[in-house]
Amino acid sequence: MSKIVLYWHPMSSATPIACALAELGVPHERVKVDIHAGEQRKPAYLALNPNGKVPTLTVDGAPMFEALAIHLWLAGQYGVERGLWPAEGTPERLQAMAWSTWSYVTYGAQLVRLQTARDMGTPDDPHGQAGHKAMDELLALLDQRLASQPWMLGANYSMVDLIVGSVIGYSAYIGAPVQKHPHVLAWLGKVQARPAMQIDA
Ligand SMILES: N[C@@H](CCC(=O)N[C@@H](CS)C(=O)NCC(=O)O)C(=O)O
């Protein structure tokens, strides 16, 4: 098996990756990068991640960055044999890619608007309000999907639930209207109750 190292900081964008590694049962090392002390801007770290952020994952010493890319790589590499990610060439794989990207990119863009307004102490300014409204509409899409099936891909839990659930869970924490969408709320509770989501990360 490849040697996997996760560069992380507690309660950060690296946390869902630590949870994914736990869910998949992938042996790995963790290296803490203290982003409050500026360690992410040191040349040795920038050589692994020119973006200067956590997470970074190295695979036999070769680095990759961006949480979504890491999620998709881990799921494809370790998830199929564990029944947690659909096999290549199946319609379910297409849905897994689509919804994972939807959460980090489409929903994530609105999350950033709300987060920025919140960080500036003005969550109710027009920018924050627009982000809130857009998230409400996107959550309605998700609610519709989860009204007819218990998990993102159908009858069984998969890494898509962990990936999408991590983004939706964080958005709820910063004030997205998740509680208005009953199927999303119930599903999120189940995702967050998984043992892999309880790890100290
Ligand atoms: N889309 C990026 C976001 C990463 C990100 O924003 N990480 C934050 C922690 S949550 C960080 O490292 N911040 C340090 C900094 O900006 O200097 C990714 O997935 O790599």
Side-chain angles (χ1 to χ4, degrees):
M1 192 180 248
S2 300
K3 179 174 160 54
I4 304 287
V5 181
L6 172 65
Y7 294 77
W8 71 298
H9 183 94
M11 303 293 284
S12 74
S13 302
T15 302
I17 302 298
C19 294
L21 285 162
E23 184 69 54
L24 291 164
V26 177
H28 62 284
E29 272 176 33
R30 277 200 218 165
V31 176
K32 185 172 169 188
V33 180
D34 187 345
I35 60 173
H36 300 316
E39 287 179 1
Q40 73 279 24
R41 289 188 291 276
K42 289 190 172 166
Y45 188 73
L46 290 173
L48 299 176
N49 183 336
N51 209 28
K53 300 202 183 290
V54 291
T56 298
L57 195 83
T58 62
V59 182
D60 292 329
M64 74 184 299
F65 58 96
E66 285 294 338
L68 176 58
I70 296 170
H71 271 309
L72 295 176
W73 183 81
L74 286 173
Q77 193 75 7
Y78 302 105
V80 179
E81 66 196 35
R82 289 160 171 78
L84 289 169
W85 191 249
E88 191 154 9
T90 61
E92 290 77 17
R93 171 66 76 93
L94 304 181
Q95 289 295 301
M97 301 291 288
W99 281 102
S100 299
T101 305
W102 174 86
S103 67
Y104 266 81
V105 178
T106 301
Y107 190 82
Q110 304 307 327
L111 191 158
V112 167
R113 294 174 88 180
L114 186 60
Q115 172 90 65
T116 305
R118 217 181 82 124
D119 288 350
M120 293 174 72
T122 55
D124 294 326
D125 76 1
H127 215 54
Q129 276 182 4
H132 198 271
K133 181 170 176 290
M135 289 169 107
D136 198 23
E137 288 167 8
L138 292 170
L139 286 164
L141 287 186
L142 188 60
D143 203 67
Q144 207 175 11
R145 184 171 183 86
L146 292 167
S148 59
Q149 57 190 48
W151 300 105
M152 286 303 295
L153 293 185
N156 299 310
Y157 173 85
S158 74
M159 296 308 287
V160 186
D161 296 291
L162 185 151
I163 296 167
V164 178
S166 297
V167 180
I168 302 297
Y170 180 67
S171 79
Y173 173 71
I174 66 162
V178 174
Q179 71 290 342
K180 280 175 62 185
H181 302 275
H183 300 102
V184 174
L185 196 60
W187 159 84
L188 185 61
K190 290 188 299 175
V191 173
Q192 291 180 333
R194 301 277 302 180
M197 302 297 266
Q198 318 308 318
I199 59 163
D200 184 21

